[in-house]
């Protein structure tokens, strides 16, 4: 049992945030043979630290068990996410005056979805990611990748061997880091004195507002407010000088930081605005994080009632998007393959496999036209509009679409 202490400040964890059923790894898709084997399950109880207010998963698997060679998440299969990355690259090149003499490093670079745009502009770059298969895809895009976990030791080695970074990028990786202090100190070690770090992650403010409990799973160790992340970075000699609110992943923030002793940029007014917004929402005190469990239970109850009504009426139900958040949601509700016939996903690595615990088969999109379901549950609600556009043809036979966060809606 790992001691229940805060991964940032070391304070004992006693205040629960949300408790879900113990679940298997959210991205561990099963083969037909594996369906006969028992699945390992892990507690999904999150706590809020009474001292620093970091929301976190108290117990964790080792990262090497999760982000291994066959890790089944590939960013490049989302066209909207690749475009989001391209726009960031264009902005950062212009804003931070990056060129052929610059050096860009991305932590959790996955399949090269972002760094490919720097490669196309002739700007030297390097990815760091522990998933070997994703790194192979990155190589096909011209992106060199170090297959390893980022930490202070690796940062020091890269700084010595490759030089320090002008820009260090990390999209949706900070929440995945168990050793938070080691990781952030590594960022400081790899940056040039006037280097910039830019990171994106889901915002706990939007999580609480929209009861986004399905983003709790074994890979997400921490959930950040701007207050908390600003304090963490400051502890390691980094000043956050700007922040942007984004619509991605149901509401994210993008932070910009630099070494405090080399900072030559003014602090943006956006910093004070977001701090004020979080204070107004009560996120600067423990009480602002309490009371979500009842809302979680209500959402699950609504969904199970809907499922029973439709199945009793003889309706057929499918799902779209074999996403980790969908697995958390289905397993929190106790849904099985007997209730949802299949889930469609565009990622070839997931097709032909089965969702963890629920054992719902993952299939190609053509199954929708073959079976003409009455309802399609959109599990990755954060890209609902894209999916509705993609599956508009299903309305021809009267199919309706369902999202469940923050409440059950039929579209």
């Amino acid at each position: 049992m790992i001691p229940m202490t805060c991964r940032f400040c070391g304070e004992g964890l006693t205040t629960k945030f949300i408790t879900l059923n113990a679940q298997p790894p959210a991205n561990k898709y099963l083969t037909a043979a594996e369906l006969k084997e028992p699945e390992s399950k892990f507690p999904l109880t999150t706590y809020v630290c009474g001292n620093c207010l970091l929301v976190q998963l108290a117990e964790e698997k080792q990262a090497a068990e999760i982000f291994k060679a066959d890790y089944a998440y590939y960013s490049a299969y989302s066209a909207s996410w690749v475009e989001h990355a391209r726009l960031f690259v264009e902005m950062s090149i212009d804003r931070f005056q990056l060129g052929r003499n610059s050096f860009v490093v991305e932590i959790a670079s996955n399949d090269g979805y972002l760094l490919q745009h720097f490669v196309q502009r002739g700007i030297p770059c390097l990815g760091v990611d522990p998933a070997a298969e994703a790194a192979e895809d990155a190589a096909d895009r011209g992106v060199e990748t170090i297959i390893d976990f980022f930490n202070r030791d690796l940062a020091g080695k890269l700084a010595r061997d490759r030089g320090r970074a002008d820009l260090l990028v990390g999209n949706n990786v900070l929440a995945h880091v168990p050793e938070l202090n080691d990781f952030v100190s590594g960022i400081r070690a790899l940056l040039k004195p006037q280097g910039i770090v830019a990171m994106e992650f889901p915002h706990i403010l939007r999580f609480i507002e929209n009861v986004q409990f399905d983003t709790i799973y074994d890979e997400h160790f921490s959930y950040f407010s701007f207050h908390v992340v600003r304090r963490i970075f400051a502890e390691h000699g980094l000043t956050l000088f700007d922040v942007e609110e984004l619509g991605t992943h149901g509401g994210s923030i993008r932070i910009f930081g630099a070494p405090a002793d080399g900072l030559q940029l003014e602090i943006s007014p956006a910093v004070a605005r977001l701090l004020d917004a979080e204070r107004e929402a009560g996120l600067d005190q423990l009480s602002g994080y309490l009371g979500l469990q009842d809302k979680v239970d209500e959402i699950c109850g609504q969904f199970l009632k809907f499922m029973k009504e439709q199945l009793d009426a003889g309706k057929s139900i499918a799902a779209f998007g074999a996403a980790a958040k969908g697995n958390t949601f289905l397993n929190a509700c106790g849904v099985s393959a007997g209730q949802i016939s299949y889930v469609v996903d565009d990622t070839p690595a997931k097709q032909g496999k089965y969702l963890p615990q629920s054992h719902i088969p993952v299939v190609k999109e053509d199954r929708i036209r073959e079976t003409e379901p009455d309802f399609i549950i959109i599990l990755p609600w954060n890209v609902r509009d894209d999916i509705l556009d993609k599956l508009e043809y299903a309305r021809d036979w009267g199919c309706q679409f369902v999202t469940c966060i923050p409440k059950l809606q039929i579209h």
Side-chain angles (χ1 to χ4, degrees):
M1 173 72 72
I2 295 172
M4 290 174 50
T5 56
C6 177
R7 60 176 35 90
F8 169 53
C9 73
E11 188 81 4
L13 298 176
T14 59
T15 304
K16 290 183 180 180
F17 180 63
I18 291 174
T19 299
L20 301 177
N21 302 331
Q23 299 191 16
N27 274 310
K28 179 64 173 77
Y29 298 89
L30 306 173
T31 64
E34 288 173 325
L35 292 178
K36 303 174 183 178
E37 302 173 4
E39 294 178 76
S40 298
K41 297 183 181 181
F42 300 87
L44 283 184
T45 300
T46 46
Y47 290 78
V48 55
C49 176
N51 179 47
C52 71
L53 302 180
L54 175 65
V55 174
Q56 57 204 280
L57 201 62
E59 300 183 49
E60 66 201 44
K61 296 166 57 188
Q62 294 299 311
E65 295 180 55
I66 302 172
F67 307 109
K68 55 186 181 180
D70 60 350
Y71 182 61
Y73 183 82
Y74 293 84
S75 299
Y77 284 106
S78 171
S80 61
W81 185 244
V82 173
E83 176 63 7
H84 175 78
R86 186 190 69 79
L87 292 173
F88 166 80
V89 169
E90 295 298 322
M91 177 278 297
S92 62
I93 290 173
D94 180 60
R95 181 175 182 181
F96 304 120
Q97 300 181 330
L98 302 174
R100 294 180 181 273
N101 294 321
S102 303
F103 182 39
V104 177
V105 176
E106 184 185 11
I107 305 169
S109 51
N110 199 247
D111 53 14
Y113 76 101
L114 184 144
L115 290 181
Q116 65 180 334
H117 303 297
F118 284 110
V119 170
Q120 292 162 10
R121 294 289 296 269
I123 297 174
C125 59
L126 177 70
V128 178
D129 199 290
E133 290 186 6
E136 290 177 6
D137 280 12
D140 293 339
R141 296 182 173 90
V143 176
E144 180 187 358
T145 306
I146 301 293
I147 302 173
D148 206 344
F149 290 95
F150 183 84
N151 54 31
R152 185 176 176 82
D153 287 344
L154 180 62
K157 185 177 187 300
L158 292 177
R160 291 190 301 272
D161 297 347
R162 306 296 292 267
R164 296 180 186 271
D166 295 277
L167 175 66
L168 193 153
V169 183
N171 286 346
N172 299 306
V173 62
L174 195 61
H176 295 251
V177 176
E179 299 296 336
L180 194 54
N181 288 309
D182 181 65
F183 183 89
V184 179
S185 67
I187 292 173
R188 176 65 185 86
L190 188 53
L191 283 177
K192 290 180 178 177
Q194 281 78 46
I196 303 295
V197 56
M199 309 200 86
E200 297 179 22
F201 46 85
H203 191 191
I204 192 70
L205 175 62
R206 305 305 169 203
F207 179 117
I208 293 171
E209 285 179 344
N210 294 310
V211 202
Q212 297 169 355
F213 72 92
D214 56 344
T215 62
I216 297 174
Y217 52 99
D218 58 311
E219 297 174 20
H220 281 175
F221 301 135
S222 303
Y223 304 80
F224 299 97
S225 69
F226 186 53
H227 271 86
V228 169
V229 79
R230 186 166 172 257
R231 179 178 172 184
I232 293 170
F233 275 61
E235 184 73 18
H236 296 285
L238 295 161
T239 297
L240 300 188
F241 62 86
D242 199 3
V243 60
E244 298 177 359
E245 295 186 78
L246 308 170
T248 52
H249 295 284
S252 298
I253 56 176
R254 175 189 288 153
I255 58 172
F256 296 92
D261 53 5
L263 184 64
Q264 298 179 340
L265 299 165
E266 293 184 1
I267 305 297
S268 166
V271 168
R273 285 199 298 268
L274 189 53
L275 290 172
D276 287 344
E278 288 189 347
R279 289 190 194 97
E280 187 174 342
L283 297 190
D284 60 338
Q285 50 193 331
L286 188 60
S287 60
Y289 296 84
L290 307 180
L292 236 60
Q293 186 70 52
D294 288 344
K295 295 179 181 179
V296 170
D297 295 342
E298 182 179 356
I299 289 170
C300 289
Q302 287 176 346
F303 181 65
L304 290 173
K305 181 181 181 216
F306 165 81
M307 293 285 291
K308 184 178 187 307
E309 289 174 349
Q310 302 311 321
L311 292 171
D312 286 350
K315 302 295 185 181
S316 57
I317 303 174
F320 191 97
K325 60 165 46 73
N327 291 328
T328 291
F329 178 78
L330 294 174
N331 293 336
C333 294
V335 174
S336 69
Q339 296 164 293
I340 293 179
S341 302
Y342 57 82
V343 56
V344 169
D345 198 276
D346 293 331
T347 307
K350 297 179 183 179
Q351 293 166 358
K353 295 186 177 180
Y354 299 81
L355 300 187
Q357 187 169 312
S358 68
H359 296 176
I360 299 169
V362 184
V363 301
K364 296 180 181 180
E365 187 182 333
D366 53 11
R367 185 71 65 86
I368 292 177
R369 292 186 186 275
E370 293 171 3
T371 61
E372 297 189 352
D374 297 301
F375 292 94
I376 296 176
I377 312 298
I378 299 176
L379 295 172
W381 45 261
N382 53 301
V383 287
R384 178 198 65 192
D385 292 344
D386 290 345
I387 294 171
L388 288 175
D389 288 343
K390 179 182 178 67
L391 303 183
E392 178 66 24
Y393 62 84
R395 296 192 189 278
D396 292 347
W397 61 80
C399 180
Q400 295 178 284
F401 299 90
V402 181
T403 53
C404 305
I405 302 290
K407 63 181 180 179
L408 192 140
Q409 294 180 289
I410 297 177
H411 305 274

